[in-house]
Amino acid sequence: MIERVNPGEPEIQIEQTVEVSPLNVSTEVELPDGSIEITIEEAPGNPTLDMAGFDANLAEYLPGETLNAIGRDLLEQIREDEASREDWMDGFRDGLKLLGFKPEERTEPWAGACGIVSTMITEAVVRFQSNAIMEIFPPDGPVKAKIVGRITKERIEQAERVRSRMNYALTEEIPDYRPETEKLLFGLAFIGSAFRKVYPDARLERPTAQYIRAQDMIIPYGASSLQTAPRYTEVMHLFPSDVKRLQVNGDWRDVAVDKTPDVSELQEAIDEATERTASSLDGDPGTFYECHTLLHIEDDPESHPNGLPIPYVVTFDRAGVIVAIRRNWREGDPNKQKLLWYAAYSYIPAEGPYGYGVLHLIGGSAKAATSIERQLIDAGTLANLPGGFKTRDARVADMNDPISPGEWRDVDLSVGNLRDVFFPLPYKEPSGALLTLLTRIEENGRRLASISDIQVGDASANAPVGSVLALMEREMKVMSAVQARLHASLHDELRILARVMRDFTPDEYEYDVEGGSRSIRKSDFDNRIDIIPVSDPNAATLSQRITIYQVAIQLAQQAPQLYDLAELHRQMLTIAGIKDVNRIIPDKTDVKTMDSVVENMALSNGQPVKAREWQDHQAHITSHVSFLQDPTTAAALGQNPQAQAIFAAAQAHIAEHFAYQYRANIERELGVPLPGLDQQLPGDIESQLSVLVAQAGEQLLRKNQQQAQQQEAQAKAQDPVLQLQQAELQLEQAKLQLKAQTEAAKIQQTAQAAQARNVIEMERIRSQERMQQEGSIDRNQLFLAEAKLNAPAQRAEVEKLKAQVAEILARIDQML
């Protein structure tokens, strides 16, 4: 509505009734001509859920009748859940007396009778608490990071940043984390269940990890886990100041709530057992419920179109007045998967959501031991200060006061002897059978609770480590299983903490980081890194883990080529709690890149070196080989007591460079680079690549063989020593050849002579036949004729042999 009033015009009176809502907005604007323009706009109605952000408190936008209906239904469901665990609560309440924090004041069988309680349960709980806190929370923090998938330099740096950040948060930024953890361990061991809530604390501007007692976590007794439970409810005990702060900060609706405490019988029993008085200057804390449940809220635009219930977190008081409703899934998640803010711890799993603790394991033994101990002490009291009967006539001074050692009192007797006047009751000394039974009960209970002292000393001093380990494992089997469950639950808790640190903390690191800028904080907390506890789920005690590593060291001594001894010793020192392990045994995986000269210097000093894939490996190999072959270097290193280890390390480093060089040569033969060293290949691709690499390897082998043969031939041609050896070999060959030829000539001459004799003999035979026939030839003439016939042939043969010998000698002279 616009009204314009001009000063020069006559006044016009307009009577009109306008209903103005308190939500209407009026705006007055003075125009240049002096008139005033008044604009009245109707403000929008009450805010709706469409206007609310994803993380808004939906209770601020829902109608009152909807909130009342949700509050009534949830309150009724919680009452049913509490009723379903009533027996568990009764057992918890009765078991509190077995802790023995407050001695019992007994009036039976007489006033002041012994009220001692057996320490079996307390000992088991305290031992577990002390051992577990040292296992899961070392001084450097409880977190270590594990790389999921391919391991690269960048991911190693990311894992180290995540580990350092979370450990710093748990040891420095959240100072109550360790005390809360110790409370959790005590409650876990005693009753069998405990819970931890991890959430972003807007007031402290940091994550918070809060111990939730088992009695303050209401879960339907048919549920098996928090993930599958249709609902679970935390009972919160808040002081009036806390409630006011939550309302002022806008976390809760600013409505009247019931702030009176709900003191249950269990809480009264806890207060009595711990001698606690519930009083405070700020008033007693009130009781509120935070229920994580599944609902279908029609007014919520994020509700499921088919009416399926989806996860919400509803907070209300004892009367069902809702102060907050928030969505409990990740924004943008199409499946609306429930987010967990609690980690459940279980000592020994049971069928319901609550586990069994030491109270359930040895509660009966503790009761029996308590009864026997009281009987033994009472029997000793009666034996030391007996009572009995006396006659009425006897008068004893200070009759009701006990007689002190060395004290004598007067007795007035009218008649009789003193022995006949007093009759003591026949109280016996403490029973030896009861003492034996007590010892047996305590031994059985301690063994069941795994708190008995391991009799390792009974084993022989030369017994194998494996035998000692088997003995320890037998005695610690129950505790080892509990330790494994504790490790798994802590793993769940640390994952929740990592999610909170990623989604609800600043995007940047508060300090300069190595391997990247400060802005990579959110990307560091992704699925590539798994957050796991530093505790060992396979060993419950320090001695057990050290014994396991001793077994590994013994096996490594039998086959050292199969083990990384440096890493094995480094892990054992870490387990033993020794600090600065990397300074004692340098970690080769954390060695910086060096040039070849610096590597030679590091090798001389016994420091680790590491080859990198991108280095010039041939140049490094040449440099290292020259360094080792240098006479000066060999003389200097030879005086070092660690010379053998230095040369072995140098040879191993050269082999590492050679392996990288071989890979580069294969890539050169293939013409393409090979996949990364840490890249996981599918089976079919790996098979195809293996065939190609095999072919490239054969080609490289042939090239290397040819090159080796050429180098060998060149070396032979240039080596004077080798040449002299070849000349000597040729001379020996010539001598052998001459000897063979001489022997052959002799054989041939002998054969020719034999042939000539055969011819002569045949001619002589023929001549004799002719002489016999003719009878005219004289035998002497025949002999002369035969000699003349044979002489020229013999002379020719001898001349031939002389010529052959001269030719051989000439050839030998030429060779020399």
Side-chain angles (χ1 to χ4, degrees), residues 427-633:
Y427 294 118
K428 296 182 179 180
E429 294 289 336
S431 171
L434 278 181
L435 182 60
T436 303
L437 180 59
L438 174 64
T439 303
R440 181 68 178 273
I441 292 174
E442 288 183 341
E443 287 180 355
N444 292 338
R446 289 164 60 88
R447 185 179 299 109
L448 179 59
S450 292
I451 59 174
S452 57
D453 295 327
I454 303 175
Q455 302 299 324
V456 178
D458 295 344
S460 172
N462 298 323
V465 178
S467 301
V468 179
L469 182 62
L471 177 63
M472 295 178 63
E473 183 179 0
R474 184 188 66 184
E475 297 293 338
M476 297 297 296
K477 191 171 291 294
V478 175
M479 192 55 60
S480 297
V482 175
Q483 181 74 18
R485 286 188 286 271
L486 180 62
H487 179 91
S489 298
L490 183 58
H491 188 191
D492 296 338
E493 177 189 331
L494 294 178
R495 283 182 172 179
I496 299 174
L497 178 61
R499 189 188 77 217
V500 171
M501 296 183 68
R502 179 192 63 195
D503 297 339
F504 300 97
T505 54
D507 297 341
E508 295 185 354
Y509 284 104
E510 302 86 349
Y511 45 82
D512 293 333
V513 297
E514 183 176 356
S517 63
R518 293 186 177 185
S519 60
I520 61 176
R521 176 170 179 169
K522 279 193 178 296
S523 61
D524 275 354
F525 288 85
D526 55 15
N527 295 329
R528 296 178 299 176
I529 303 298
D530 188 14
I531 310 301
I532 59 178
V534 298
S535 57
D536 186 356
N538 301 315
T541 63
L542 175 62
S543 58
Q544 190 176 5
R545 289 200 302 275
I546 291 179
T547 306
I548 291 174
Y549 274 97
Q550 288 177 346
V551 173
I553 290 176
Q554 283 188 355
L555 294 176
Q557 293 174 351
Q558 300 175 9
Q561 71 278 5
L562 301 178
Y563 293 82
D564 186 345
L565 295 179
E567 181 62 25
L568 182 60
H569 285 80
R570 186 181 295 106
Q571 291 185 13
M572 186 169 184
L573 292 179
T574 302
I575 290 299
I578 298 176
K579 297 183 178 180
D580 298 330
V581 175
N582 288 334
R583 297 182 61 182
I584 301 174
I585 305 177
D587 186 2
K588 293 184 179 181
T589 61
D590 194 24
V591 177
K592 296 182 180 180
T593 304
M594 311 175 189
D595 58 60
S596 58
V597 176
V598 178
E599 286 181 344
N600 288 334
M601 295 172 61
L603 289 170
S604 301
N605 296 324
Q607 297 177 356
V609 293
K610 185 174 180 59
R612 307 294 180 181
E613 185 178 0
W614 59 84
Q615 290 178 324
D616 187 342
H617 303 289
Q618 188 58 49
H620 277 256
I621 293 173
T622 304
S623 176
H624 298 324
V625 172
S626 302
F627 176 72
L628 295 178
Q629 293 180 351
D630 192 311
T632 305
T633 302

Side-chain angles (χ1 to χ4, degrees), residues 10-70:
E11 295 182 0
I12 303 176
Q13 294 182 355
I14 302 176
E15 294 183 1
Q16 183 177 3
T17 302
V18 179
E19 294 182 359
V20 181
S21 170
L23 296 178
N24 290 348
V25 179
S26 61
T27 305
E28 297 183 1
V29 179
E30 184 176 355
L31 300 177
D33 57 1
S35 61
I36 299 176
E37 182 179 281
I38 301 174
T39 304
I40 299 177
E41 297 179 353
E42 184 176 355
N46 292 331
T48 62
L49 280 173
D50 295 331
M51 303 169 55
F54 182 83
D55 296 325
N57 181 5
L58 305 186
E60 299 281 2
Y61 304 89
L62 291 174
E65 57 272 15
T66 302
L67 295 176
N68 293 335
I70 295 175

Side-chain angles (χ1 to χ4, degrees), residues 45-100:
N46 292 331
T48 62
L49 280 173
D50 295 331
M51 303 169 55
F54 182 83
D55 296 325
N57 181 5
L58 305 186
E60 299 281 2
Y61 304 89
L62 291 174
E65 57 272 15
T66 302
L67 295 176
N68 293 335
I70 295 175
R72 287 193 303 270
D73 292 343
L74 291 180
L75 198 59
E76 182 179 355
Q77 294 172 0
I78 291 174
R79 299 306 180 200
E80 294 177 357
D81 296 340
E82 286 184 320
S84 68
R85 66 170 191 171
E86 191 64 34
D87 294 339
W88 178 83
M89 295 283 283
D90 293 340
F92 186 6
R93 182 177 59 253
D94 296 339
L96 289 170
K97 300 178 182 179
L98 297 177
L99 283 174

Side-chain angles (χ1 to χ4, degrees), residues 305-316:
N306 295 331
L308 295 178
I310 52 180
Y312 291 90
V313 178
V314 184
T315 308
F316 50 96

